[in-house]
Amino acid sequence: MDRLPDTTTPLTPTTITPGPLDPAPAGEPMVWVPGPGNGFVAVPRSLLPADYFTPPAPAPPARGGIAASIDPRAQVLAAGGLGIGAAGWGLGQILSAMAGLGTAGLAALALAAVVARMPRPGTTTADNTSPGASTEIHVHRGARVKARNLNIR
């Protein structure tokens, strides 16, 4: 297909004869308006429509960004999905903390039991050989010695 056959008919040149021109009245102002072929044409101001010189009403402000192309109902559904996902993540955090609390709770109870069995500072216990007989002696800074729970048998 080097060359397609020529199926067009040649145009014959036409001659345009200018007709009579009606000049605009000398006192009427002329206005240049856009015309054919990206040019401008002079038109008498009286021939233009009345609203030609009034600016068009401003267009409503466009919703900017990507939000203009997303359906509002779809936005609500997506936000709900994100909310459910965040709630699920929070529930997972709580459950994992509770699972760790089981191990840490047992360790805390064991530590509390050890601390409860330790004698208080400044207290010594003298254990007598008989069962149930014990004496707690509190040593104070003064010369006093206070004995409590004397169960000597």
Side-chain angles (χ1 to χ4, degrees):
M1 284 180 104
D2 265 353
R3 186 154 162 79
L4 294 175
D6 190 13
T7 59
T8 60
T9 58
L11 296 176
T12 59
T14 57
T15 59
I16 298 174
T17 58
L21 293 177
D22 295 330
E28 189 171 0
M30 300 295 285
V31 179
W32 292 91
V33 296
N38 292 334
F40 287 93
V41 178
V43 177
R45 188 176 184 112
S46 62
L47 295 178
L48 293 174
D51 62 343
Y52 185 78
F53 292 105
T54 59
R63 291 177 21 193
I66 194 168
S69 62
I70 298 177
D71 182 26
R73 181 67 183 153
Q75 289 178 349
V76 169
L77 291 174
L82 290 175
I84 294 297
W89 178 81
L91 183 63
Q93 294 294 315
I94 290 171
L95 291 177
S96 66
M98 288 174 60
L101 183 64
T103 305
L106 287 176
L109 284 175
L111 182 64
V114 168
V115 168
R117 303 242 344 166
M118 291 176 56
R120 286 174 284 185
T123 302
T124 59
T125 302
D127 190 17
N128 293 338
T129 56
S130 62
S134 65
T135 305
E136 289 183 4
I137 301 172
H138 298 274
V139 179
H140 296 278
R141 290 189 179 176
R144 290 183 308 157
V145 174
K146 183 177 180 183
R148 188 187 311 172
N149 298 335
L150 291 174
N151 293 331
I152 302 173
R153 293 183 194 194

